[in-house]
Amino acid sequence: MTDAATNSIEKRITVGNGPAAREIAVIHRLPTRPNAPTLVWLGGYRSDMTGTKALELDKLAAELGIGALRFDYSGHGASGGAFQDGTISRWLEEALAVLDDSKAESVLLVGSSMGGWVALRLVQELRQRASGPNVLGMVLVAPAPDFTAELVEPHLTAEQRQSLAERGYFEEHSEYSPEPNIFTRALLEDGRNNIVLTGIIETGCPVHILQGMQDPDVPYPHALKLVEFLPADDVVLTLIRDGDHRLSRPQDLEKLKAAAAALIIA
């Protein structure tokens, strides 16, 4: 369905086969100027494509005449599938499918929190395939690469380990939702297969990282560690002294839009 007023197409694509098939909800803003790139939003764990940052970036795309691609991972927002079935590999597969379906020739990847991890894996997969869109740059907001192995597993309590062993998951209080976060054994095990902080990450494009220094979920030293694994890229790290994990205040959103616009216009 195309909305003429917004120049956006809302659609659903099927990813996977048989019991693994799931419907992924996508909103694709078409560019209004020729050969314009497409901004691709990669959301975080339990977030969706209607969040503040995603909508602000969609508005930015409209102002610049570029494309914008938003979607919900399976088990998130308007997409099908069960959240408990989600893994990094599964959500990465969906990101690749959405990107392929868009036919975009050049993209700017914007990944928030877990979406930063998905963005890094996505660029690795695209480089390995040697096909697909040209990645002009990446903006990573409070990026959480390897968060399952780096930020979750080392801090598991005896009770959480027991729950994983007996039930296959454990629950944790969420500061952002009345519903608890659910971490499954499958998510943790699959996370180890998608680790990126083990050697040089070659993105082949400029990277701008925005990180709050008051972030309780992804402490800022994690962003500093990520920079160490990007020695071949042009990397800018912006530390926001009073910034939290969401970075959704007006001043944070301005920094985000400025970072994205700079990479698009460069």
Side-chain angles (χ1 to χ4, degrees), residues 105-229:
E105 295 184 359
S106 60
V107 296
L108 171 70
L109 302 179
V110 184
S112 176
S113 192
M114 183 190 77
W117 188 1
V118 175
L120 291 166
R121 286 289 294 112
L122 184 59
V123 79
Q124 287 180 332
E125 289 295 313
L126 290 173
R127 287 174 67 85
Q128 186 172 339
R129 285 193 336 186
S131 64
N134 173 42
V135 180
L136 300 177
M138 304 174 72
V139 179
L140 306 179
V141 185
D146 303 358
F147 80 89
T148 51
E150 295 271 335
L151 303 176
V152 175
E153 291 193 79
H155 305 290
L156 290 175
T157 65
E159 181 180 359
Q160 289 169 336
R161 293 183 186 279
Q162 182 178 357
S163 182
L164 279 170
E166 295 177 354
R167 299 193 294 171
Y169 69 92
F170 73 89
E171 296 180 352
E172 181 182 78
H173 170 70
S174 171
E175 295 290 337
Y176 312 108
S177 168
E179 299 297 323
N181 289 326
I182 297 176
F183 295 95
T184 65
R185 183 166 56 233
L187 175 68
L188 299 183
E189 291 176 350
D190 178 77
R192 298 180 204 126
N193 297 327
N194 284 280
I195 285 175
V196 295
L197 300 179
T198 56
I200 293 176
I201 305 171
E202 295 187 33
T203 69
C205 66
V207 180
H208 193 147
I209 300 170
L210 299 168
Q211 175 68 49
M213 296 183 73
Q214 304 301 320
D215 185 340
D217 301 303
V218 182
Y220 76 88
H222 197 66
L224 299 179
K225 181 174 182 177
L226 172 58
V227 171
E228 295 177 6
F229 289 91

Side-chain angles (χ1 to χ4, degrees), residues 11 27 39-40 42 46 85 106 111 115 142 196 203 206 209 212 220 247:
K11 63 191 301 186
I27 300 178
L39 187 155
V40 181
L42 299 162
R46 291 191 65 194
D85 293 336
S106 60
V196 295
T203 69
I209 300 170
Y220 76 88
L247 292 180

